[in-house]
């Protein structure tokens, strides 16, 4: 199936989840993440979910990471437009960081320290669907794939999904970057 069809199907499937179902799934995703065979690194890029689309909220994951590694620093994406070219940069945030709604519908920091993508150790990557090879379907702008290509080769790329993978995404191209792990409520997929 192609990305545009998967986007439509999985946005609709997520919208059908009730708050009670989301709470249970979020708890199960955290339990699965706790089984992940990795050392929790210090520099983690996360994101603010688009709640109107029932997007997975990684807050419990980053809280757990902080518990396991108190040296953790969190970064959120900031998308800037320069001469009609969008660029995503990681911004260090703290409890005092102000956020605003972006043109794309998610909250992003309006202040904070920008760092190089090469500084990041782990990226929690948003997704709508993924396949058995670790490729994902996002929202179609390509921000994360462009960003991940600028990261170190050893950066951990982790996605969380309320649904199991599809067999294949038919229109994968050279710009798509696969995940290292995708976590569902039933299983950890390693790619």
């Amino acid at each position: 199936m192609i990305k545009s069809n998967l986007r439509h199907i999985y946005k609709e499937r997520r919208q059908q989840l009730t708050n009670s179902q989301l709470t249970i799934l979020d708890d199960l995703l955290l339990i699965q993440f706790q089984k992940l065979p990795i050392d929790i690194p210090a520099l983690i890029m996360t994101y603010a979910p688009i709640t109107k689309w029932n997007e997975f909220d990684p807050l419990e994951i980053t809280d757990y990471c902080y518990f396991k590694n108190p040296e953790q620093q969190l970064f959120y994406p900031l998308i800037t437009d320069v001469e009609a070219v969008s660029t995503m940069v990681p911004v260090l945030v703290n409890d005092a960081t102000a956020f605003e709604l972006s043109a794309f519908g998610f909250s992003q920091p309006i202040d904070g320290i920008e760092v190089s993508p090469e500084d990041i150790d782990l990226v929690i990557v948003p997704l709508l669907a993924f396949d058995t090879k670790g490729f994902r379907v996002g929202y179609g702008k390509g921000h994360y794939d462009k960003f991940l290509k600028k990261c170190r080769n050893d950066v951990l790329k982790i996605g969380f999904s309320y649904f199991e993978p599809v067999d294949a995404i038919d229109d994968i191209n050279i710009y798509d970057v696969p995940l290292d792990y995708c976590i569902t409520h039933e299983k950890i997929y390693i790619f």
Side-chain angles (χ1 to χ4, degrees):
M1 194 173 299
I2 63 173
K3 294 175 190 175
S4 60
N5 291 348
L6 288 167
R7 259 184 219 103
H8 176 74
I9 291 167
Y10 281 88
K11 276 184 181 179
E12 191 172 301
R13 285 187 71 187
R14 278 203 326 216
Q15 288 298 109
Q16 293 173 359
L17 294 171
T18 66
N19 287 338
S20 176
Q21 290 171 317
L22 289 168
T23 299
I24 292 167
L25 289 170
D26 288 347
D27 289 345
L28 293 171
L29 289 169
L30 175 61
I31 290 167
Q32 289 293 351
F33 179 75
Q34 291 169 341
K35 297 176 186 177
L36 199 60
I38 63 168
D39 292 325
I40 302 299
L43 306 181
I44 298 175
M45 183 162 154
T46 186
Y47 62 89
I50 303 172
T51 54
K52 70 179 182 180
W53 291 348
N54 284 346
E55 186 169 42
F56 172 70
D57 186 346
L59 182 61
E60 288 186 26
I61 301 301
T62 56
D63 285 349
Y64 172 77
C65 290
Y66 183 76
F67 170 75
K68 294 298 280 185
N69 183 356
E71 301 296 314
Q72 171 193 284
Q73 293 182 306
L74 283 182
F75 298 81
Y76 279 73
L78 172 65
I79 296 178
T80 59
D81 286 317
V82 178
E83 297 177 10
V85 176
S86 293
T87 303
M88 190 168 84
V89 295
V91 175
L92 178 64
V93 301
N94 58 38
D95 292 338
T97 302
F99 283 76
E100 69 180 2
L101 199 60
S102 74
F104 301 103
F106 62 87
S107 293
Q108 64 181 13
I110 59 173
D111 56 8
I113 300 169
E114 291 183 21
V115 300
S116 168
E118 294 177 348
D119 293 334
I120 303 298
D121 300 317
L122 184 155
V123 181
I124 300 174
V125 185
L127 57 85
L128 285 161
F130 72 106
D131 72 10
T132 56
K133 295 179 183 155
F135 291 103
R136 58 179 268 286
V137 174
Y139 296 100
K141 302 296 183 194
H143 292 122
Y144 273 86
D145 290 314
K146 291 175 197 168
F147 174 79
L148 292 170
K149 286 192 181 283
K150 296 176 186 175
C151 293
R152 296 188 321 266
N153 289 337
D154 66 342
V155 69
L156 288 172
K157 302 168 294 292
I158 302 176
F160 291 85
S161 179
Y162 292 133
F163 309 104
E164 297 305 308
V166 297
D167 288 335
I169 300 168
D170 295 331
D171 53 345
I172 293 299
N173 60 55
I174 60 170
Y175 303 106
D176 292 309
V177 177
L179 300 167
D180 296 306
Y181 300 96
C182 194
I183 298 172
T184 70
H185 64 284
E186 293 182 345
K187 183 175 177 179
I188 297 172
Y189 291 85
I190 302 171
F191 307 108

